[in-house]
Amino acid sequence: MNKFLVCRTDGIGDLLLATPLINELTKAGGDVSVLCGSYAWQVLENNPDVSEIIIYDPENPYANLELIKSMDFDAAFVVYPRRQVASLVKKAGIPLRFGSANRWYSCFYFNRPVRISRKKNEKHEAEYNLDIAGDIIGERAVLKTFFYPDEEEKNFGKSYAEGFGGDFIMVYPGGKGSSDNLSAGKYAELVDEIAGEYTGKIVLAPGIGEQGLIESVYEKAARKDRIIKTEEVLPLRQFAGLISRAKAFVSGSTGPMHIAAALDVPVVSFFPGGEGMARRWAPVGKVTAVIQPEKGGNMDGIDTKAAALEITRLAETS
């Protein structure tokens, strides 16, 4: 069995979009370990395709050099192109090193360079990830991403959701700012529109440091009788357990959006106008919808009435 190291050292959604690659390498007979960041690694817990998780520290990029050397990998796939990660896998003596051919340092570190350019957003990020290993897995389509909550996390989500008194739609207004999003006032308008169409509750959920944003959306909304604001910031795996109980998940382009899609929760996401961002970063799941303003238009130009109808429609399918 070949031993493979997949390197994806950025965010939660980014790492989840590497799980199709990890899955395909496993199906190709590989024993797959993953080098990933300390913020995102938990999305790989309980994943049967992952043999070992190695935490990468950008402040000390060679901290795991001796460990990686000792694991005798046959090939490394540097999915997220960073020079120090490329240097690490070469210093570790990994025989086959796959990565983008388009970086200035590629010729120094990769002996299996792959012609791949993400600048024009011509493909989905998960497809770009698969391209890195095309010589081994061949051409593959992205059908889903993979996230595996355990029974304790599922039970936590069920128990927590029972406090909402029935079915709910989760609205997550926050995010790390990787893409333009609706304003707090526009989210409040959207929540009010959803309340006019949907019979269940609307749950506002914060990420780390986002309690103030949740409070702002709640205060601006008129239908407070239908809204539950969860001020508690749940640990990632417990938050995923709660997401799994939602009838639909609504947000901009965020890591939790990709978690919801991986859990087969219907997802409605907001992206800037134009095809590029949505083509590359849209959620991958059974039931998803992307809503955008007119090309070049402000995100707050989105029609919240139409968005609420679409959100309610998808929620009622689950």
Side-chain angles (χ1 to χ4, degrees), residues 253-274:
S253 178
T254 68
M257 172 196 77
H258 290 295
I259 290 175
L263 293 169
D264 291 329
V265 174
V267 175
V268 177
S269 52
F270 302 108
F271 279 83

Side-chain angles (χ1 to χ4, degrees), residues 160-176:
Y160 203 103
E162 285 172 354
F164 303 154
D167 294 340
F168 68 96
I169 290 171
M170 181 178 286
V171 177
Y172 181 80
K176 296 297 181 183

Side-chain angles (χ1 to χ4, degrees), residues 10-18 40 43 125 145 254-256 258-259 281:
D10 42 350
I12 288 171
D14 310 284
L15 185 55
L16 270 174
L17 293 178
V43 303
E125 181 69 9
T145 55
T254 68
H258 290 295
I259 290 175
W281 297 106

